[in-house]
Amino acid sequence: MSHVAVKINGKIYRIACDEGQEEHLLDLAHRFNMYIENLKSSFGEIGDQRLIVMAGVLIIDDLVEMTHKLRVIEQELADIKNITKNVFDLNQAREIKIVESINNASAQIRKITKKLSASL
């Protein structure tokens, strides 16, 4: 288990993390601190607890918005997959009809060839 020291709102916090996750945790803490700093620049010093609650609400708002966007994209992807499958099925049906037509034409050519060969 590793530990990293992160700075949030001017205070240092020591946080445990799995080995190899140090940089990721530092990045997360930096991003969280950016929320705090943006709130402080907008509202001034309003107290640590209030800043943390407001930052948490903003983060959840971003998460809900991203989740909604992800669901829209997933639905669009599902629609594209369905359209692609339908086009593939349609093309496959067309190919089958073409092969059947070629086979029918070939059978007719063989019949005509037999008749011509028999009459010679």
Side-chain angles (χ1 to χ4, degrees), residues 104-120:
N104 289 339
S106 178
Q108 289 177 356
I109 290 170
R110 280 192 298 274
K111 285 181 186 176
I112 293 170
T113 302
K114 278 185 181 179
K115 285 182 182 178
L116 288 174
S117 294
S119 65
L120 292 175

Side-chain angles (χ1 to χ4, degrees), residues 16-79:
C17 64
D18 291 334
E19 292 289 333
Q21 293 297 310
E22 297 86 358
E23 289 298 320
H24 180 64
L25 182 55
L26 288 169
D27 181 56
L28 293 174
H30 174 73
R31 289 171 186 239
F32 182 73
N33 191 55
M34 287 175 52
Y35 275 91
I36 298 291
E37 294 300 323
N38 287 336
L39 288 170
K40 280 174 53 176
S41 68
S42 296
F43 298 105
E45 291 295 330
I46 59 173
D48 290 348
Q49 205 169 13
R50 238 177 163 185
L51 278 172
I52 290 170
V53 169
M54 290 173 72
V57 169
L58 288 173
I59 290 168
I60 294 300
D61 182 49
D62 285 349
L63 177 63
V64 167
E65 184 179 333
M66 293 300 156
T67 301
H68 173 72
K69 287 179 181 179
L70 177 61
R71 286 190 181 130
V72 168
I73 290 169
E74 287 173 337
Q75 183 58 52
E76 289 172 352
L77 180 59
D79 293 345

